[in-house]
């Protein structure tokens, strides 16, 4: 029962982080400023280079996902992976380029959360991604959950 309460608290904060949480996170944002700025810069320029094929604004959605993870206190690698989670689908960048720029943890989570475009059925495609996230670990599942929550809002 304790675990269920902890999960519901985490999910509630994923859905609506408060202004107080944002203010408390300002020192953390400032401490992580350079890698976050690099990731935002890469995301903005990479998705601008590929024609948009979706309804949601990729950059704004990715920023919301990253902020949700940061506001819950997750480490920089998880926040960066949340920021870059749609990068491989929405740009011409490769997992190797993400690896070189942000390291193994971020690249692995980004790759796990990336939908396999070769799978035509959207439900099967999403299920495949969730299974890859589960096999990778908690960081990938956290990014997938934050992405799902934002997609549902």
């Amino acid at each position: 029962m304790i675990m269920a309460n902890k999960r519901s608290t985490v999910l509630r904060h994923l859905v609506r982080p408060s202004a107080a949480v944002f203010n408390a996170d300002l020192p953390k944002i400032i401490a992580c400023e350079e890698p976050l700025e690099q990731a935002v810069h890469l995301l903005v320029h990479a998705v601008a280079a590929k024609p948009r094929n979706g309804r949601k604004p990729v950059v704004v959605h990715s920023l919301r996902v990253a902020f949700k993870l940061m506001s819950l206190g997750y480490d920089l690698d998880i926040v960066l992976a949340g920021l870059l989670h749609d990068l491989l689908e929405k740009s011409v960048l490769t997992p190797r380029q993400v690896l070189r720029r942000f390291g193994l943890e971020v690249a692995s989570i980004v790759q796990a959360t990336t939908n396999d475009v070769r799978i035509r059925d959207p439900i099967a495609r999403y299920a495949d991604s969730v299974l890859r996230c589960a096999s990778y670990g908690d960081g990938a599942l956290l990014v997938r959950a934050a992405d799902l929550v934002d997609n549902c809002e």
Side-chain angles (χ1 to χ4, degrees):
M1 188 65 170
I2 293 172
M3 184 60 100
N5 287 339
K6 184 178 179 184
R7 284 185 183 151
S8 65
T9 301
V10 168
L11 288 175
R12 187 171 41 254
H13 289 292
L14 275 172
V15 174
R16 296 260 184 255
S18 68
V21 170
F22 177 76
N23 290 333
D25 285 331
L26 280 176
K28 198 181 329 175
I29 293 168
I30 292 166
C32 302
E33 187 176 322
E34 187 175 327
L36 286 169
E37 188 171 331
Q38 289 175 9
V40 169
H41 180 78
L42 177 67
L43 178 67
V44 168
H45 291 282
V47 300
K50 186 175 179 185
R52 189 169 158 194
N53 62 345
R55 298 175 311 198
K56 65 183 179 183
V58 176
V59 174
V60 174
H61 162 71
S62 296
L63 286 167
R64 285 193 307 259
V65 169
F67 179 73
K68 285 173 197 222
L69 294 164
M70 182 179 279
S71 70
L72 291 170
Y74 292 106
D75 68 29
L76 180 60
D77 283 345
I78 291 174
V79 173
L80 289 170
L83 184 59
L84 301 172
H85 76 279
D86 277 338
L87 186 67
L88 299 178
E89 290 173 55
K90 309 293 184 185
S91 76
V92 296
L93 290 178
T94 66
R96 180 177 216 99
Q97 291 170 305
V98 176
L99 172 66
R100 277 197 306 255
R101 198 118 181 220
F102 297 101
L104 182 60
E105 181 72 8
V106 173
S108 297
I109 293 172
V110 169
Q111 200 161 9
T113 57
T114 297
N115 290 321
D116 185 343
V117 295
R118 298 172 298 182
I119 301 172
R120 294 285 176 223
D121 178 56
I123 294 171
R125 185 172 49 241
Y126 196 80
D128 171 72
S129 173
V130 171
L131 287 173
R132 281 186 284 113
C133 289
S135 69
Y136 183 75
D138 291 346
L141 286 170
L142 288 165
V143 171
R144 178 50 74 204
D147 175 41
L148 178 61
V149 167
D150 190 70
N151 284 338
C152 291
E153 288 186 327

